[in-house]
Amino acid sequence: MSLDVITLTQPKSPISEAYRTLRTNLQFSNVDGDLKTISITSSGPGEGKTTTLCNVAETFAQSGKRTLIIDGDLRKPRVHKVFKISNAVGLTNVLIGQEKLEDVLQITGSNIKVLTSGPIPPNPSELMESNAMKQLLEMLTQHFDVILIDTPPVGVVTDGAIIAGMVDGTILAVASHKTQIDGAKHAKQLLEQVNAHIVGVVMTMMPISKKGYYGYQYYEYYQQEETPKKRRRRK
């Protein structure tokens, strides 16, 4: 198992506890039970969104939730690398009807189901926006308690915004001392343009003084203020 999944390899570490706190924050955001599908994106590449997603998924699975990860980054998929599993087939094969979902789902960590990206297609945005993707998400919500979707940086391509418009909530990852303020603001604007429900912002790669820990992935979580309009269930 990759060292990126510290919640599995070092469950008692301070960083693992921080990820559990993030899970708890998301659960408190879900008092009405309408936050089942959650995407994570960033303004640019290399800002820690995939590592954050995988660790939060592990904490959900450890708490007994039926947890699914979907690698919706059909340009530079990384979930399979984090968990060290195959990406020979996955989401793209399911969407075009080449494979059945049950044949491509993999199990890792604390019983996390993973749907990797599969082969990189020539038309990622079109696949993400397809009726097949919408129908797949609708079906999966009947079988899982929480579905976490990794998407490309919203400030680089449109895929992240497309998925954000489909799911119940979106987390924006920003990297300490890396993400530009203007880039983060632009990413937020792009998400708002598709009426995305931004449930919060995770600041990743924050330096900590204690050596020997997974310092660059320590984060702070800023919950987005919500309005009644944002609390509606997405269809």
Side-chain angles (χ1 to χ4, degrees):
M1 182 64 62
S2 170
L3 292 177
D4 285 344
V5 193
I6 194 171
T7 48
L8 185 64
T9 59
Q10 299 181 46
K12 296 183 179 180
S13 72
I15 309 308
S16 294
E17 182 59 31
Y19 281 118
R20 286 190 288 271
T21 300
L22 174 54
R23 178 200 65 198
T24 301
N25 288 336
L26 290 171
Q27 290 173 324
F28 272 105
S29 299
N30 193 31
V31 291
D32 294 330
D34 60 356
L35 194 63
K36 181 172 283 192
T37 54
I38 304 169
S39 69
I40 186 166
T41 188
S42 59
S43 63
E47 296 184 1
K49 63 179 179 61
T50 304
T51 300
T52 298
L53 176 139
C54 292
N55 277 282
V56 172
E58 174 61 25
T59 65
F60 271 114
Q62 289 173 359
S63 70
K65 298 292 186 182
R66 296 174 298 171
T67 305
L68 171 68
I69 293 175
I70 298 177
D71 194 342
D73 190 338
L74 303 186
R75 299 171 189 269
K76 292 184 178 181
R78 188 170 173 267
V79 169
H80 67 286
K81 295 179 180 179
V82 172
F83 286 110
K84 298 187 182 301
I85 57 179
S86 172
N87 192 35
V89 292
L91 175 62
T92 54
N93 303 96
V94 173
L95 292 179
I96 65 175
Q98 281 186 344
E99 298 284 348
K100 294 181 179 179
L101 176 66
E102 57 268 27
D103 293 334
V104 301
L105 283 179
Q106 301 180 67
I107 301 176
T108 189
S110 298
N111 200 34
I112 302 172
K113 297 289 181 63
V114 179
L115 178 58
T116 62
S117 69
I120 296 175
N123 56 340
S125 297
E126 287 79 2
L127 278 181
M128 288 291 95
E129 203 168 11
S130 66
N131 287 329
M133 184 64 188
K134 297 172 184 175
Q135 292 168 3
L136 177 64
L137 282 179
E138 184 176 351
M139 182 272 291
L140 288 170
T141 58
Q142 307 303 314
H143 300 280
F144 292 93
D145 298 316
V146 58
I147 300 169
L148 297 164
I149 308 172
D150 192 18
T151 65
V154 70
V156 178
V157 292
T158 62
D159 309 24
I162 290 171
I163 292 299
M166 295 182 187
V167 298
D168 301 324
T170 295
I171 297 171
L172 179 62
V174 296
S176 176
H177 303 295
K178 181 174 182 179
T179 303
Q180 298 296 317
I181 293 177
D182 288 344
K185 288 181 177 179
H186 182 58
K188 184 174 181 288
Q189 291 170 353
L190 291 172
L191 292 172
E192 290 173 341
Q193 287 174 9
V194 295
N195 295 318
H197 175 195
I198 305 173
V199 294
V201 176
V202 174
M203 181 169 285
T204 65
M205 302 182 185
M206 293 183 64
I208 57 176
S209 58
K210 189 173 181 179
K211 296 182 179 179
Y213 285 108
Y214 197 66
Y216 73 89
Q217 273 299 338
Y218 194 84
Y219 64 83
E220 288 185 6
Y221 176 74
Y222 303 88
Q223 186 169 342
Q224 179 81 355
E225 290 294 331
E226 297 183 15
T227 63
K229 181 179 179 181
K230 286 185 177 181
R231 292 298 300 163
R232 70 184 185 278
R233 174 86 184 187
R234 295 191 174 276
K235 300 295 183 181

